[in-house]
Amino acid sequence: MSNNTIQNSLFIKAAFSKPTERPPIWMMRQAGRFMPEYWEIKNKYSFLEMCKTPELAADVTMLPVNLLDIDAAILFSDILVTAEAMGGDLSFTQGVGPRFANPVRSQADVDRLNTEVGNKLQYVADAIKVIQQRLNGKIPLIGFAGAPFTVMSYLVEGGSSKDFKLTKLMLHNHPEMAHQLLSKIAKVTADYLNLQIAAGVNAVQIFDSWAMALSWDDYKEFSHRYIQEIISNLNRKDIPVISFCKGSSVFAPLMAQTKPDVISVDWNADLLDIKKTLPKGIAVQGNLDPHILYADKSVIKDRIHRLFERMRGEDGFIFNLGHGIMPDIPFDHVKYAVDIIKEFRY
Ligand code: CP3
């Protein structure tokens, strides 16, 4: 694979705020359940088996590449594999989502978590190598990890949560313990992203999906500083770093301080307004409300055009959703959206 071709791809150029003839497009959760072809694989293997078997992870990563013809692939894995490697007893159950059978609630639980996890995550490096062989330089591959606060929330709650009650109680009543837990996750996350970079990903995205649960001060103290620590420890030459959070409409000025190349914006804010507040050289990614993809095609077309007209002439714009594709969005609506975006010219 020629590194030159990848550096000249629409996605990498836009991520580094260089001019492109049109915005590149990929979608969060593009390798997932809205595709019937995903279910053909999922019906035979468990989700974790799919993540841990390089050939299967590569098969799923390639589905949107082949069926949607998007401009970047994203590694098929999950943000919780780091927490599992640290000692979390992780399972995924249909309809329930992720669960940790041994939630982290006490100092002893925090002390027990490992921070040397390279060997345990070798399967991800192996998957990246298989995927890059299959991509063969066609488009860049994005690696990813969860941000410490979001990963912590799963470890503490023992699964998904609506209000993050136990997590926020730990932040507020036991801040020292929370900081120890977050530091451990941050160390593992930086090592893990560097392992992905060494294995050959062309960009990395940090997902802080639940940051919007935090107040400004708590975001600064318990999320932002750990993302800063991770980003400053990445071997990032030629590798753009994308920082995503739900809550970015509010937290973008803080996110910019961590010096990512791209900020991925949720759908609450006007994307151009956000971009104008950022230092020059930080690109934006986003920010269509994923629910638009449920709507009639005429509505999908209209909303995509509106976003483009707003961003016309801006370097450093990657088209994406404000969050992931929902599993029951019709495949042909997603395909229609991608096709429209690819017709667009600046
Ligand atoms: O974007 C992609 O297509 C790449 C693969 C990917 C998955 N998860 C696959 C997945 C990525 C980037 C993730 C990240 C992830 N995982 C996040 C951050 C992104 C976001 O959307 O906020 C979070 C919070 C998780 C944790 C997680 N994993 C949850 C809450 C669930 C259950 C979701 C649900 O609605 O049931 C998962 C499982 C998961 N991760 C699936 C997939 C394809 C579904 C697994 C299945 O088939 O049952």
Side-chain angles (χ1 to χ4, degrees), residues 43 78 81 131 192 195 273:
N43 288 338
D78 198 82
V81 298
I131 296 163
Y192 176 55
L195 176 141
D273 285 350

Side-chain angles (χ1 to χ4, degrees), residues 29-31 33 38 42 47 77-78 144 154 207 209 323:
R29 298 253 172 121
Q30 68 189 15
R33 291 166 289 178
Y38 174 84
K42 180 66 200 302
F47 175 65
S77 185
D78 198 82
F144 70 92
Y154 285 97
F207 285 91
S209 303
H323 199 183

Side-chain angles (χ1 to χ4, degrees), residues 26-33 38-39 42 47 50 74-80 92-98 144 150 154 160 207-210 244 246 323-324 327:
W26 72 281
M27 294 191 195
M28 286 184 263
R29 298 253 172 121
Q30 68 189 15
R33 291 166 289 178
Y38 174 84
W39 286 104
K42 180 66 200 302
F47 175 65
M50 287 158 68
I74 181 162
L75 168 70
F76 181 76
S77 185
D78 198 82
I79 61 164
L80 298 177
F92 285 88
T93 315
Q94 202 59 58
V96 179
F144 70 92
T150 290
Y154 285 97
S160 299
F207 285 91
D208 204 358
S209 303
W210 312 130
F244 164 78
K246 285 272 319 283
H323 199 183

